[in-house]
DNA sequence: GTCTATAGAGGGATAGAC
DNA sequence: GTCTATCCCTCTATAGAC
């Protein structure tokens, strides 16, 4: 769990924002959920609410960027892998009362035209996901252009399906996206996964 | 243009909310943009801000639900039609400074877990789009199950690609989604479009 | 039906004791 | 580094004159 006050604030903020977005979360809510008083929030984050959101998004973005490779690692057929990504997302969502999986999508929709600072942070996260996913598929033998389009479409497809699923309270949009996207990649072999270099412990 | 005060309020609200979401738009903003004073907003909409959003979403939802059939009407090949949907969306977005195309997606992300009343309205709009799109493709000779999955995936793909495009300020996600989704439908013929029964003028 | 003034609640942020 | 009290602003909504 989060040990320092600073970490517990970021964890609480990410958890609240993935459900309620940016404007829907008050500093008092973050204080209550993290156990820290309001003053501590401003002590650790001079930049206030926007800075907390920035760091929470960056943290969550880094963590969630590892999920697609983690799921795909187990597969040798690209079509089955794509199907698995969406099925896994559907299963997860059913276990979380249809909360968004991660705060980046929830917040990005809200701030893309209003809080330039956060738009840039969310944009950097999306770019990192696309670059990371593309590099991963290339390492497993997929052609670069195909890898980039596939990664972009999968991430966009996931975000859109999450939006429909949360709004309709049904995982059907996630399953439908998998059924539509997967077939055309069926039969395309994936090379053996390259083991991740262990990240340096902070 | 909007003639009555009531209509101009709804038009202004839809335009503001597609850019800034629900919480990001204040009643004063709607008053200023529509030209009506605050008091008139509550005179015409007893239910306050939530009622304005509800009606604005329902109006916009009905209007935007006609767009996909309108684009697809011109095509006889399903693959080309799917490509055209995403290319058209990309072209439109470039002309609007990357605003979301319609307010439903912007608002839905924000209210899915917070304002139950609006979640239901947005959900009804999405359901209407899926049902309408499915019926349209079925009328043009597509198998029912395929039509439903295709429609769901296209709508989800559009919403997700809009989110990425707005956040990254680039239409590439829309073009990539088209490039990924279209090929598998190439060669599938569409039957001649059925002319729409003219809507009764209000 | 139009418009102004204001109530009442809640937001982000700060000061300063401990 | 922790915590409380409080400031000031903005928000939704209402009252009531015109």
């Amino acid at each position: 769990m989060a040990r320092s006050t600073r970490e517990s604030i970021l964890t609480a903020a990410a958890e609240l924002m993935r459900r309620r977005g940016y404007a829907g979360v008050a500093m008092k809510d973050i204080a209550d959920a993290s156990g820290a008083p309001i003053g501590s929030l401003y002590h650790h984050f001079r930049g206030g609410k926007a800075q907390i959101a920035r760091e929470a998004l960056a943290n969550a973005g880094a963590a969630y960027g590892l999920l697609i490779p983690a799921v795909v690692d187990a597969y040798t057929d690209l079509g089955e892998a794509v199907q698995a990504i969406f099925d896994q997302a559907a299963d997860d969502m059913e276990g979380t009362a249809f909360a968004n999986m991660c705060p980046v999508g929830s917040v990005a929709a809200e701030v893309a035209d209003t809080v330039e600072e956060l738009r840039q942070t969310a944009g950097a996260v999306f770019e990192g996901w696309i670059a990371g996913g593309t590099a991963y598929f290339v390492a497993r033998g997929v052609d670069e252009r195909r890898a980039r389009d596939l990664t972009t479409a999968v991430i966009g497809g996931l975000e859109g399906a999450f939006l429909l699923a949360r709004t309709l309270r049904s995982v059907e949009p996630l399953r439908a996206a998998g059924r539509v996207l997967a077939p055309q990649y069926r039969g395309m072999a994936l090379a053996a996964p390259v083991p991740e270099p262990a990240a340096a412990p902070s």
Side-chain angles (χ1 to χ4, degrees), chain A residues 53-78:
Chain A
R54 248 187 355 248
E55 296 197 25
L57 254 51
N59 282 0
Y64 284 92
L66 306 174
L67 286 185
I68 289 180
V71 170
V72 175
D73 261 355
Y75 294 84
T76 55
D77 179 271
L78 184 51

Side-chain angles (χ1 to χ4, degrees), chain A residues 8-183:
Chain A
S8 68
I9 290 168
L10 288 177
T11 303
E15 173 61 23
L16 286 166
M17 286 182 188
R18 79 171 187 166
R19 289 181 176 271
R20 301 199 236 145
Y22 180 68
V25 174
M27 292 295 271
K28 182 175 189 326
D29 298 332
I30 300 173
D32 291 349
S34 70
I38 289 270
S40 289
L41 270 59
Y42 288 92
H43 174 76
H44 291 287
F45 303 91
R46 280 274 192 80
K49 188 180 178 181
Q51 188 191 346
I52 292 177
R54 248 187 355 248
E55 296 197 25
L57 254 51
N59 282 0
Y64 284 92
L66 306 174
L67 286 185
I68 289 180
V71 170
V72 175
D73 261 355
Y75 294 84
T76 55
D77 179 271
L78 184 51
E80 285 175 22
V82 169
Q83 184 76 56
I85 291 170
F86 286 91
D87 283 341
Q88 176 76 52
D91 293 345
D92 286 355
M93 191 167 238
E94 278 185 323
T96 58
F98 301 100
N100 211 355
M101 276 201 68
C102 105
V104 182
S106 299
V107 171
E110 226 182 315
V111 300
D113 289 305
T114 51
V115 190
E116 173 59 16
E117 182 183 14
L118 287 177
R119 194 220 102 220
Q120 286 179 13
T121 302
V125 170
F126 286 146
E127 271 169 12
W129 287 352
I130 292 171
T134 301
Y136 173 85
F137 283 119
V138 166
R140 294 203 61 192
V142 179
D143 165 75
E144 158 102 37
R145 291 181 71 130
R146 167 169 274 132
R148 186 166 195 88
D149 277 357
L150 168 62
T151 304
T152 306
V154 164
I155 293 171
L158 277 173
E159 293 291 348
F162 277 134
L163 175 65
L164 292 184
R166 286 209 299 149
T167 306
L168 296 172
R169 298 254 206 265
S170 158
V171 295
E172 256 307 291
L174 283 159
R175 308 235 183 250
R179 284 196 296 269
V180 166
L181 280 172

